[in-house]
Structure formats: C-alpha cells, structure tokens
Amino acid sequence: MSQYVYKIIMYVPIGQRKGSMVVNTVGDKIEGRMEILGHSEPFGGVIDAEGNCYIEGRFHTLMNEIPFIARGTVREDQLHLLIQREQDTYEIFGDACAGGKE
C-alpha cells in the first residue's frame, strides 16, 4: 500500500477553495479522504499503473451535499482531477506535501 498526502485547490464557479487529500493505493484500488469546504469525506475508485483514475465520492457546500465522479491522474508528486456535473465543472489540482508518502 502507498499513501500520499496532497495540498489541493479546487476551482469552483465562484472561485478557489483550498483543502487536502489523503490517497491510498493498493493494486488497482484507490481510496482516501478529501477535506474541503470545512468537511472531510471518503472517496474510492480505481487507478491504473500510469496513475489514471476514476473516483467516486461527495463533498459538502454551505447548502448542499454534492456526489461526484472524478477522472484524472494521481501521481506521487501531484494530482489533477476533473469533476463534470450537469451545469458545473470542478477542477482539482494538488501538490504532494513534504514527507507525504508512507
């Protein structure tokens, strides 16, 4: 199992939101927690050998709980995820924290 910790920025229609993600990978499985907008929620999905992933989870806004499906890449030093919803697109960029691998 590999564990990585990232500082993330989520780009939403009303601006940027900062948070963190803890990502665990075992074989082709990926799981972890995303802390953003004052909430921490689990996520899970699949990842291939090149770091391409498909993740399902949810995050909370001030008014709603938003389930999401994200596609993107997770690598040791950085991540990039794209969440496409009916009317909105959310993009997440992350850089690994120093000493973030276990």
Side-chain angles (χ1 to χ4, degrees):
M1 179 174 88
S2 295
Q3 183 177 73
Y4 304 97
V5 180
Y6 303 91
K7 290 181 184 177
I8 62 169
I9 297 176
M10 178 187 288
Y11 294 87
V12 297
I14 60 170
Q16 300 176 11
R17 300 294 181 256
K18 294 181 180 182
S20 63
M21 285 182 78
V22 175
V23 176
N24 301 300
T25 60
V26 178
D28 67 346
K29 304 283 187 241
I30 185 170
E31 64 179 26
R33 295 192 75 79
M34 180 170 63
E35 186 172 322
I36 195 111
L37 303 171
H39 297 274
S40 178
E41 294 291 336
F43 63 84
V46 294
I47 188 167
D48 68 17
E50 288 80 41
N52 301 306
C53 65
Y54 172 94
I55 296 172
E56 294 183 28
R58 66 177 176 237
F59 60 88
H60 292 268
T61 67
L62 291 174
M63 310 265 304
N64 296 316
E65 176 181 289
I66 299 175
F68 71 83
I69 296 172
R71 289 181 169 79
T73 56
V74 175
R75 300 213 167 83
E76 187 173 324
D77 59 340
Q78 62 186 7
L79 63 80
H80 176 236
L81 300 171
L82 187 63
I83 300 168
Q84 187 73 48
R85 297 193 34 89
E86 301 85 33
Q87 299 171 347
D88 297 314
T89 299
Y90 304 94
E91 198 163 11
I92 301 172
F93 290 96
D95 290 315
C97 296
K101 181 178 178 182
E102 293 184 6

